Amino acid sequence: MEWFGRRHATYVRLSEAVRDYVDPEGTIIDVGANIGYFTKVLGETLDFRGTAHLFEPLEHLASLCDQTLARAPYTVHVHPYALGDTDTKLDIFVDTSGGNLGWNTLVAERATAGMLATTIDVKPFTATAIERAPCFLKIDVEGAEHLVIAGMADALASWD
């Protein structure tokens, strides 16, 4: 938490910037949730009471999402897979240096020395069974955002 704590003010500033768009009782989706810290700060800053869906395919980070949001005053669902355009398995390159929990990428060309390939599950948004349109959607998947959007195309087209 120390790494994130040093960036807390930035997360608060980002949360304040989207205040007018987030329904306090709505649904938020965090794709590439890491340890869930952004969702935690967003919820605290905006007095969120709705439902949060976090997508994190790395088992250790999904577990940390559960810990980070264990006392959240809203409903939290941690989905232990990535969102993409197909139902598949892919290699994600994971930073093993311990310096940046968020530096993991599906883009092999962006992988740096010391990153370890780990196979993850990937599903399209239709597999989530989330029916309510989100009031806020955060996507941070280090170069594979286009795959998430492609997998959400039908849902995005159906939402106001």
Side-chain angles (χ1 to χ4, degrees):
M1 292 301 268
E2 182 180 324
W3 189 91
F4 291 96
R6 290 192 308 266
R7 291 154 179 84
H8 184 82
T10 299
Y11 286 98
V12 170
R13 192 171 67 250
L14 291 169
S15 298
E16 289 290 352
V18 299
R19 178 182 293 281
D20 292 345
Y21 306 100
V22 178
D23 175 357
E25 296 182 14
T27 297
I28 60 175
I29 297 175
D30 184 344
V31 183
N34 197 272
I35 71 164
Y37 194 77
F38 179 77
T39 296
K40 176 183 181 345
V41 174
L42 183 74
E44 291 169 353
T45 304
L46 305 184
D47 193 26
F48 187 71
R49 300 173 305 280
T51 301
H53 291 274
L54 290 80
F55 293 87
E56 179 49 60
L58 295 170
E59 185 178 329
H60 69 288
L61 295 179
S63 176
L64 288 171
C65 284
D66 286 327
Q67 291 176 37
T68 300
L69 295 163
R71 293 187 179 102
Y74 46 89
T75 304
V76 176
H77 299 283
V78 178
H79 304 271
Y81 52 87
L83 286 183
D85 59 345
T86 59
D87 191 343
T88 190
K89 291 185 180 296
L90 292 175
D91 281 341
I92 188 170
F93 297 88
V94 179
D95 181 29
T96 58
S97 71
N100 183 351
L101 288 173
W103 177 228
N104 307 303
T105 182
L106 288 169
V107 183
E109 295 79 24
R110 295 185 70 190
T112 58
M115 293 183 96
L116 178 68
T118 302
T119 303
I120 59 167
D121 291 321
V122 180
K123 299 179 186 215
F125 186 75
T126 53
T128 69
I130 298 171
E131 295 181 8
R132 187 171 180 195
C135 60
F136 182 77
L137 169 63
K138 175 225 151 213
I139 305 172
D140 181 8
V141 292
E142 307 297 346
E145 287 80 4
H146 64 289
L147 297 175
V148 175
I149 292 170
M152 294 184 82
D154 290 342
L156 290 167
S158 72
W159 296 333
D160 287 340

